[in-house]
Amino acid sequence: DAKPNNNIYVKGWPVGFPDFLLQSIFQQYGSVLRLRLLDNPDPEQPTCAALVQMSRVEEAAVAVRQLHGRTMAVSVPPIHVRYAGKDQGNSDNLYVSSLPRTITESSLRQTFLKYGEIKRLRLLQQPGSHETRALVQLGSPQAAAQALRELD
């Protein structure tokens, strides 16, 4: 075993989840001096690692004892939905941002199916980005307006 210190290596953090969520978990055990998410070299993996530096060795020791092996119940950050296009007027096209990088087309489709027919759905993934965006065309402007009200 490594000698206790104030630096903690965290494995299994969901890719695309922001660092402030991880920081809020560790702040329950003391002061977080630094936190850095490490990119997973395999872009297909749903998790990544992080480095957390606590202000004191004792705080780090308690955090490690309390958190090691635990499954975190982390809520997904809110997505942002707006009308797609330059004028962004009332239409059936929606632009969705702040989606986790690991989201699948089928899970996004399930989210929007409750608003009616989906004419088109396209995930927009950029290499190196921690979020995914999407274009969703619903069956009517009314369905898009309802999705916009309920999801944003």
Side-chain angles (χ1 to χ4, degrees):
D1 272 343
K3 183 179 180 223
N5 63 61
N6 65 334
N7 295 304
I8 304 170
Y9 175 78
V10 180
K11 188 174 167 189
W13 185 248
V15 169
F17 279 43
D19 59 359
F20 67 82
L21 291 175
L22 185 60
Q23 183 165 347
S24 69
I25 292 168
F26 278 89
Q27 282 176 332
Q28 298 172 45
Y29 303 99
S31 180
V32 175
L33 296 178
R34 275 191 284 255
L35 185 143
R36 189 169 133 220
L37 295 180
L38 306 172
D39 283 334
N40 194 322
D42 181 355
E44 299 302 312
Q45 287 298 310
T47 62
C48 65
L51 299 174
V52 179
Q53 184 180 29
M54 304 295 288
S55 66
R56 298 187 353 219
V57 173
E58 298 79 16
E59 294 171 348
V62 171
V64 168
R65 271 198 312 277
Q66 295 294 316
L67 297 173
H68 181 71
R70 250 181 74 198
T71 300
M72 298 281 99
V74 179
S75 60
V76 178
I79 64 171
H80 300 287
V81 182
R82 61 185 172 91
Y83 290 111
K86 272 194 270 186
D87 58 3
Q88 296 183 14
N90 195 356
S91 77
D92 57 355
N93 290 306
L94 296 174
Y95 175 77
V96 186
S97 61
S98 298
L99 294 165
R101 192 173 86 185
T102 54
I103 195 161
T104 63
E105 188 174 315
S106 66
S107 66
L108 188 60
R109 190 171 291 281
Q110 288 301 313
T111 300
F112 280 92
L113 266 176
K114 63 181 150 198
Y115 303 105
E117 175 196 3
I118 298 172
K119 290 184 178 178
R120 257 189 314 220
L121 186 146
R122 187 167 146 222
L123 291 180
L124 309 170
Q125 295 169 313
Q126 291 182 301
S129 174
H130 290 291
E131 74 170 357
T132 295
R133 297 177 175 133
L135 292 173
V136 180
Q137 183 181 12
L138 294 174
S140 70
Q142 294 79 14
Q146 182 184 357
L148 187 68
R149 276 193 309 276
E150 293 180 18
L151 293 174
D152 191 40

